[in-house]
Amino acid sequence: MLLIHCPYCEEARPEVEFAYGGEAHIARPVDPSTYSDEQWEEFLYIRSNPRGRHHERWRHSHGCGRFFNAVRDTVTDVFETTYKAGEARK
Amino acid sequence: MTGFRLADGGRIDRRTKRNFTFDGKARWGYAGDSLASALLAQGQMLFGRSFKYHRPRGILGAGVEEPNALVTVDRGPGRVTPNLRAPSVAIHDGLKAVSQNRFPTLKTDLIAVNNVLSAFFPAGFYNKTFMWPRAAWEKVYEPIIRRLAGLGDSPTTRDPDHYDATYAHCETLVVGAGPAGIAAALEAAATGGRVILIDEQEEIGGGALSDPAQWAWLAEASAKLAAMDNVTVLSRTTAIGHYHQNFVVAAERLTDHLAVNEAEGPREKLWRIRAGEVVLAMGAIERPLVFEGNDVPGVMLASAAKTFALRYGVAVGRKVVVMAVHDSGWRDALALHKAGVNIAAIVDLRRDVASDLIEGARDARIACYQGYAVTSISGGQAVKGVTIALAGFGKGQQLDCDAVLMAGGWTPTVHLWSHAKGTLRWDEAWGAFVPDKTHENLRCVGACAGAWSFGKGLPGGLLPAPKPLHESKAFVDFQNDVKARDIGLAVQEGFRSIEHIKRYTTNGMATDQGKTSNLNGLQIASGVLHRPVTEIGLTTFRPPYTPQSFGAILGHHKEALFQPLRKTVIDDWAASHGAVYENVAQWRRARFFPQGSEDMDAAVARECRTVRSAVGVFDASTLGKIEVVGSDAAEFLNRMYTNPWKSLEPGRCRYGLLLGEHGFIIDDGVSARLAPDRFHLTTTTGGAARVLNMMEDYLQTEWSDLDVWLTSTTEQWAVIAVQGPKARRVIEPLMEGIDLSPEAFPHMAVREGRICGVETRLFRVSFTGELGFEVNVPAEHGRMVWEAIWAEGQKHGAVAYGTETMHVLRAEKGFIIVGQDTDGTITPDDAGLGWAVGKKKPDFVGKRSLARPDIVAPGRKQLVGLLTDDPQAVLEEGAQIVADPNQPVPMTMLGHVTSSYHSATLGRSIAMALVAGGRDRMGETLHIPMPAGTISAKVVAPMFYDPEGSRLNG
Ligand SMILES: [Zn+2]
């Protein structure tokens, strides 16, 4: 079971308190109607799925309830860092 | 029948006898014996029949690596455990052990005819042979194979034991309490940190238990550890897996070693340990050698024979031959000789062996054959002799013996290291993979680190033989009956990666997970392929390290504690009024309230008729509820839901439809605006947490500028639905401060006031099509208000109804249940809810997707009603729908039935269905093929009752 550092609670807590939230830094377009079908498909479904550093979202569901971002190595599962939503990509 | 108890030696207590049975026959041993040692001492060599060929098998090892001697231990009803390894079972008075996979008895197994037919059971046999008709597989082959191939039988009765579970934290966790592990634990303990030392055996000591010279040290070290407050020593505890960040799960066996009448408390305890540092001291497992007849009972690992002699005082034979490719075989032979075991010869494939070993053997008058290999074994159910030949090819020479010991080198036990994603490197001297790098605070010590001297060797698994590989009966994986020639065949058939060879041959896939076969299989594949082992790879180790009971994994999470059961505040009332329950998303809900001898159909029909003709009361407390507050609350809901919210006046309700960004329906519910900055949202019972999570996601990460606060209030409000033409008359006498007249309180309105003296949010809404109210009161008053409404309702012939009636009534009106009439691929238009989409809204979650080509394409599945031609035929929910019932299979499926009931109101069945191009098929007859015959039905609008909605006015 992973230990995940919540950047809001500033504590490492067991994985069971968290919920995974998919790839990070995929912003909803301000006006989706301006998107072509291809652009919208990209936004909805196309993900980077890297081997190695992955920027991803987690929610401290059974804690403070906040969404935050993390960089995790998909090979080792080691968290490089976690940071608050809205902060620049690390 | 050649094993016997040595006159002295061992750690057994020769003053304490233990009586047990094996296959129903009375046996005995001493306290401290394992099942294997006690039986060997009485001359038992035959322990089981092999998995596929039912070949007779004896003991191979003295520990968890044992692949052959699997037994079922019977501790009474529900306490039958199959597939236990005889060397790991401690004997106690009354132990009942039974051999496995034999028919009818161990000694005369009729199915061993397989052995003769083994040419027809090559690698990949299952894949190749059973590409036959399905019926032949189900009726002929599967039953035969299930009879032939199998381990022990699964228990069929309920396990009466209970299992404990705990979390533990420590600075240092040491796995394995051999000399290296004990040293590591003592070292860590001296620093003052918390230390946990765990070991799978009956007592700590590991390899030292088989070395009397270390017993004094062991006793001293054990006493020292026991005396330290910061050290926890757990024996009979197996570390089954290493998970992320030094989280190790271990199962402690608490009572299986005790007589049944002495066993008290939980049977096992699962430890979840988070450690600062993990030290793996798991030792190494000796490798068998692969030669013709290496599975005849009496052929075993040299290290096992040493353990039986020195730890248990048991000689495995009266005349023993050692077949070695490693120095450790010579050392073990000399130790055995010293303990009184007659070693007739040491055969070593190597010509060059250290002179001290040769001299030791000469001094002990042991014949030495360097450069020789065993080429065959004589004997079927027990070893009678061996044939040896120079380099495996020369003229054969017979040696009489009753046991053959294999010393094929050593495999470091790197399982937990690999669980932790530690990398391995090939060590040529060991002829094995040893730990390399890890990102955890984890290290290996002792033999599992590759840092223990067993001497030199030439590990390679396969011995040279006069027979070609494809004719040999040399076994690699004893438990799964995989022969060297099967690996050769896999390579010949084109498999190159060890992961593929493993799956094709099943090498290493049995319950022992290849503890004695992985490396031999790998090296044989390497030899056949003429490629280095490092290019062929090593299969992945996964938890558990040894087979684990489900009980310990489950712990306390069974029966009532399996998962939380949520009950409403009205649940007790329902119970005392005879409710039959169903579980919905962890909520226990009253499904119907049978009276007298009513069955469900009769009860539901009565409840439905009463709601439509008088009034019914329904506990709707499980509805998800979210309080949305803030100056931007309306703006937020406008962005989330498909319909417009900003124009909704305070005091009014609206049906809200929630989509995902993909455009498909996720949830729905009626919500009320209580004030310009306050909404009372409702969600489906199962969707409450999901919807709140989704809303929080948008609020926190997309629109964090909005002034909105979301609070789950599901459990704060009890909700009592009062539905039916007499609904107003039932609640009117109880209300204060709310004008219930139709003019003052129209349909889809909300009012705040008091009922029975407590605050209420009163909704005028209907999920039945009748005049209806939903009374929200603080949960702590829910029971009181329910009873007051119930008492008032009695004056008007009220009925309490459950979820089944709720479903029928809503289906009569064509109201959907998200997740039943939708399946995650249904848009508002598909569901006939296009009216709920705000056409003028520039954006909402999912809007862009509603313009995607596939969403606007014709022929999508649409929600329609179905009326069966036979009005009494009730369609099965989930049944497939076709246009032409005579079309040959595979038929073109148009869709499926989503909701189907008998409607007492209409005196016939009704159904809803998702049908391709459904709304263009109105009036068409479609067909539902069922096992008992095809049912035909006409497509109609999904609205069966009061289409004008006049009944909403009461
Ligand atoms: Zn937090």
Side-chain angles (χ1 to χ4, degrees):
Chain A
M1 190 181 351
L2 294 164
L3 285 175
I4 301 173
H5 183 264
C6 173
Y8 293 95
C9 296
E10 296 187 333
E11 252 193 74
R13 307 289 304 170
E15 186 184 342
V16 288
E17 293 184 10
F18 297 83
Y20 182 67
E23 188 166 356
H25 301 295
I26 297 171
R28 187 178 192 272
V30 175
D31 184 0
S33 69
T34 62
Y35 267 40
S36 68
D37 285 340
E38 289 71 27
Q39 285 174 305
W40 187 247
E41 178 201 17
E42 173 101 5
F43 163 73
L44 275 186
Y45 296 121
I46 308 302
R47 298 295 179 263
S48 62
N49 192 27
R51 180 184 166 86
R53 286 184 98 230
H54 187 233
H55 291 76
E56 60 195 23
R57 290 153 22 99
W58 287 83
R59 185 181 182 210
H60 196 183
S61 318
H62 300 288
C64 62
R66 303 297 295 269
F67 283 84
F68 59 90
N69 294 326
V71 183
R72 180 181 57 99
D73 188 307
T74 58
V75 178
T76 60
D77 284 334
V78 173
F79 281 91
E80 184 183 304
T81 183
T82 58
Y83 53 102
K84 292 177 181 176
E87 287 180 23
R89 186 185 178 90
K90 295 205 173 168
Chain B
M1 302 284 282
T2 46
F4 62 96
R5 187 77 69 177
L6 293 162
D8 50 30
R11 295 173 69 81
I12 46 169
D13 175 3
R14 290 177 191 253
R15 288 160 306 179
T16 312
K17 264 192 177 186
R18 299 274 188 235
N19 294 300
F20 64 99
T21 65
F22 181 62
D23 282 346
K25 284 199 191 110
R27 305 297 191 111
W28 64 272
Y30 292 119
D33 258 328
S34 71
L35 180 61
S37 65
L39 287 171
L40 280 171
Q42 301 193 11
Q44 180 87 30
M45 295 302 275
L46 181 60
F47 277 77
R49 289 278 173 171
S50 73
F51 179 66
K52 202 155 72 170
Y53 307 127
H54 284 235
R55 285 170 69 91
R57 290 280 165 80
I59 294 279
L60 182 79
V64 290
E65 72 277 13
E66 174 58 38
N68 292 330
L70 301 184
V71 296
T72 296
V73 170
D74 181 353
R75 293 174 65 83
R79 293 192 166 100
V80 177
T81 310
N83 304 334
L84 293 171
R85 298 159 301 277
S88 298
V89 174
I91 62 161
H92 55 75
D93 276 328
L95 173 74
K96 277 161 78 177
V98 182
S99 63
Q100 295 180 173
N101 205 32
R102 77 288 193 273
F103 178 77
T105 68
L106 193 53
K107 193 133 182 160
T108 51
D109 181 303
L110 298 177
I111 301 165
V113 66
N114 263 12
N115 192 14
V116 180
L117 298 177
S118 69
F120 300 100
F121 283 83
F125 165 77
Y126 297 96
N127 318 36
K128 286 170 186 163
T129 312
F130 299 113
M131 303 298 285
W132 281 337
R134 192 184 153 84
W137 168 254
E138 283 174 359
K139 292 199 173 64
V140 185
Y141 300 108
E142 191 181 339
I144 292 175
I145 285 176
R146 287 211 182 279
R147 175 74 261 171
L148 293 183
L151 299 165
D153 294 327
S154 299
T156 51
T157 45
R158 203 179 180 82
D159 182 350
D161 276 313
H162 65 282
Y163 296 82
D164 200 3
T166 190
Y167 285 89
H169 298 82
C170 61
E171 275 64 48
T172 306
L173 169 67
V174 182
V175 180
I182 288 172
L186 285 168
E187 192 186 321
T191 66
R194 292 164 296 175
V195 175
I196 300 177
L197 173 64
I198 60 183
D199 191 273
E200 65 193 353
Q201 299 209 58
E202 293 294 307
E203 54 177 330
I204 67 167
L209 297 171
S210 307
D211 184 1
Q214 294 189 64
W215 289 354
W217 166 83
L218 178 58
E220 195 183 316
S222 301
K224 201 169 168 191
L225 287 167
M228 294 174 96
D229 289 341
N230 58 334
V231 178
T232 306
V233 179
L234 300 170
S235 56
R236 299 188 188 94
T237 304
T238 304
I240 58 179
H242 181 295
Y243 303 86
H244 300 103
Q245 284 149 296
N246 279 350
F247 187 73
V248 173
V249 176
E252 182 181 11
R253 291 169 296 281
L254 299 167
T255 57
D256 276 2
H257 62 290
L258 301 171
V260 173
N261 57 0
E262 289 168 12
E264 272 177 25
R267 180 182 175 219
E268 291 182 39
K269 182 174 183 176
L270 197 73
W271 290 76
R272 297 182 177 90
I273 305 167
R274 182 79 70 175
E277 184 190 32
V278 174
V279 180
L280 298 177
M282 299 180 71
I285 292 170
E286 194 166 27
R287 293 170 60 176
L289 289 162
V290 183
F291 55 87
E292 182 87 9
N294 64 344
D295 68 326
V296 174
V299 182
M300 66 173 69
L301 298 174
S303 57
K306 179 179 147 189
T307 293
F308 287 122
L310 299 174
R311 179 170 170 192
Y312 298 107
V314 174
V316 299
R318 295 190 185 275
K319 200 169 184 192
V320 178
V321 168
V322 177
M323 175 67 234
V325 297
H326 198 281
D327 293 352
S328 67
W330 294 70
R331 297 215 173 100
D332 288 348
L334 295 174
L336 285 164
H337 168 78
K338 207 174 145 197
V341 179
N342 174 25
I343 306 293
I346 301 174
V347 184
D348 197 316
L349 186 60
R350 301 171 299 167
R351 284 177 183 280
D352 298 323
V353 177
S355 54
D356 61 316
L357 297 174
I358 294 170
E359 278 160 26
R362 296 259 157 85
D363 291 349
R365 296 167 189 273
I366 299 171
C368 301
Y369 298 88
Q370 288 132 262
Y372 279 76
V374 170
T375 57
S376 69
I377 300 280
S378 51
Q381 294 199 350
V383 171
K384 293 197 172 69
V386 292
T387 305
I388 63 169
L390 189 62
F393 298 105
K395 193 172 173 300
Q397 187 176 338
Q398 311 286 327
L399 302 176
D400 276 353
C401 62
D402 58 6
V404 178
L405 308 185
M406 301 181 284
W410 294 83
T411 307
T413 303
V414 295
H415 296 68
L416 264 68
W417 175 267
S418 295
H419 296 171
K421 298 189 178 180
T423 60
L424 300 168
R425 73 181 164 77
W426 180 256
D427 185 301
E428 203 59 49
W430 273 72
F433 286 101
V434 296
D436 191 16
K437 294 192 180 77
T438 177
H439 58 267
E440 299 276 7
N441 190 5
L442 175 69
R443 64 191 167 96
C444 289
V445 297
C448 79
W452 192 265
S453 181
F454 291 99
K456 289 192 176 125
L458 188 66
L462 189 63
L463 292 183
K467 273 190 187 175
L469 189 64
H470 67 270
E471 285 175 20
S472 110
K473 276 190 184 169
F475 283 83
V476 181
D477 184 321
F478 295 94
Q479 197 167 99
N480 259 358
D481 263 353
V482 179
K483 290 176 281 201
R485 76 176 189 213
D486 295 322
I487 292 168
L489 184 65
V491 168
Q492 191 188 321
E493 296 193 356
F495 296 97
R496 294 292 177 271
S497 156
I498 196 66
E499 293 283 1
H500 294 146
I501 294 168
K502 165 182 168 174
R503 279 157 186 82
Y504 195 59
T505 61
T506 72
N507 193 62
M509 288 174 69
T511 67
D512 63 350
Q513 288 196 49
K515 289 187 178 69
T516 54
S517 62
N518 277 344
L519 272 183
N520 282 345
L522 184 63
Q523 284 193 296
I524 290 166
S526 158
V528 181
L529 283 163
H530 305 292
R531 284 168 58 204
V533 284
T534 47
E535 284 180 23
I536 301 169
L538 179 68
T539 56
T540 314
F541 294 109
R542 292 192 179 86
Y545 172 64
T546 51
Q548 179 53 49
S549 72
F550 284 111
I553 292 169
L554 205 59
H556 299 295
H557 299 283
K558 61 176 187 175
E559 291 153 9
L561 298 178
F562 180 64
Q563 62 172 354
L565 182 66
R566 304 172 77 182
K567 295 179 186 174
T568 74
V569 294
I570 298 153
D571 182 86
D572 281 349
W573 186 95
S576 64
H577 285 73
V580 173
Y581 291 103
E582 68 171 341
N583 286 4
V584 181
Q586 295 185 334
W587 283 101
R588 179 165 95 153
R589 303 196 70 182
R591 191 175 184 195
F592 58 97
F593 292 86
Q595 290 185 355
S597 59
E598 277 181 338
D599 62 5
M600 184 174 89
D601 289 346
V604 170
R606 174 181 48 76
E607 291 172 13
C608 286
R609 277 193 301 264
T610 311
V611 173
R612 295 257 182 252
S613 63
V615 64
V617 214
F618 174 69
D619 178 7
S621 304
T622 65
L623 273 179
K625 296 171 249 348
I626 302 169
E627 192 90 342
V628 184
V629 182
S631 56
D632 294 317
E635 172 64 27
F636 177 68
L637 294 181
N638 212 46
R639 294 185 195 182
M640 293 302 304
Y641 283 101
T642 60
N643 30 8
W645 288 84
K646 290 205 238 180
S647 57
L648 188 69
E649 301 273 336
R652 301 291 304 187
C653 302
R654 181 154 285 170
Y655 172 74
L657 194 57
L658 185 69
L659 311 183
E661 287 291 8
H662 46 42
F664 302 127
I665 296 170
I666 281 186
D667 205 82
D668 68 350
V670 170
S671 301
R673 188 169 199 172
L674 298 165
D677 63 349
R678 181 177 292 267
F679 289 81
H680 176 122
L681 249 59
T682 71
T683 73
T684 58
T685 292
R690 197 162 56 230
V691 170
L692 181 60
N693 182 70
M694 175 177 168
M695 289 186 170
E696 280 288 349
D697 192 348
Y698 278 89
L699 193 57
Q700 290 182 32
T701 68
E702 298 291 352
W703 306 320
S704 55
D705 55 317
L706 295 184
D707 172 32
V708 178
W709 298 89
L710 304 171
T711 307
S712 167
T713 54
T714 301
E715 292 179 349
Q716 272 57 52
W717 296 102
V719 186
I720 303 158
V722 186
Q723 304 273 311
K726 295 179 180 170
R728 187 180 285 114
R729 275 180 267 173
V730 171
I731 60 167
E732 208 153 31
L734 308 173
M735 300 301 307
E736 294 166 50
I738 300 177
D739 181 352
L740 294 180
S741 69
E743 303 72 35
F745 191 19
H747 180 56
M748 293 299 268
V750 64
R751 295 290 179 268
E752 289 177 273
R754 302 184 81 77
I755 185 168
C756 308
V758 301
E759 61 162 314
T760 181
R761 289 177 178 175
L762 182 67
F763 286 57
R764 189 177 157 194
V765 290
S766 173
F767 200 42
T768 58
E770 302 296 328
L771 168 68
F773 299 90
E774 286 182 3
V775 181
N776 288 259
V777 291
E780 63 268 32
H781 302 303
R783 174 76 185 264
M784 179 269 288
V785 174
W786 170 276
E787 289 194 33
I789 291 174
W790 177 249
E792 201 58 37
Q794 294 313 293
K795 300 172 190 167
H796 303 279
V799 70
Y801 67 96
T803 51
E804 194 64 26
T805 291
M806 178 269 283
H807 275 263
V808 177
L809 296 173
R810 65 90 201 174
E812 289 170 350
K813 291 293 296 176
F815 297 146
I816 64 160
I817 300 271
V818 172
Q820 176 168 345
D821 302 296
T822 69
D823 64 1
T825 67
I826 300 301
T827 66
D829 186 64
D830 297 342
L833 296 171
W835 56 267
V837 177
K839 303 288 182 297
K840 292 183 201 142
K841 287 173 67 173
D843 191 16
F844 56 81
V845 173
K847 180 179 167 71
R848 174 65 186 82
S849 285
L850 298 180
R852 293 172 64 212
D854 282 352
I855 303 296
V856 297
R860 287 187 62 80
K861 286 183 184 170
Q862 294 170 329
L863 193 74
V864 296
L866 289 180
L867 287 176
T868 49
D869 291 344
D870 170 3
Q872 297 314 310
V874 179
L875 294 170
E876 195 159 320
E877 289 172 357
Q880 295 291 313
I881 300 164
V882 300
D884 174 7
N886 300 314
Q887 188 189 1
V889 174
M891 302 168 98
T892 308
M893 313 286 191
L894 295 177
H896 70 279
V897 177
T898 60
S899 290
S900 176
Y901 310 94
H902 178 79
S903 162
T905 311
L906 301 168
R908 60 153 304 137
S909 68
I910 55 168
M912 292 199 280
L914 287 166
V915 175
R919 285 202 292 274
D920 292 335
R921 294 180 186 268
M922 288 299 153
E924 225 177 273
T925 295
L926 297 177
H927 304 272
I928 298 93
M930 297 300 292
T934 297
I935 301 171
S936 54
K938 193 163 14 130
V939 180
V940 298
M943 167 68 88
F944 304 95
Y945 185 67
D946 186 30
E948 307 77 29
S950 58
R951 298 191 62 84
L952 286 171
N953 303 319

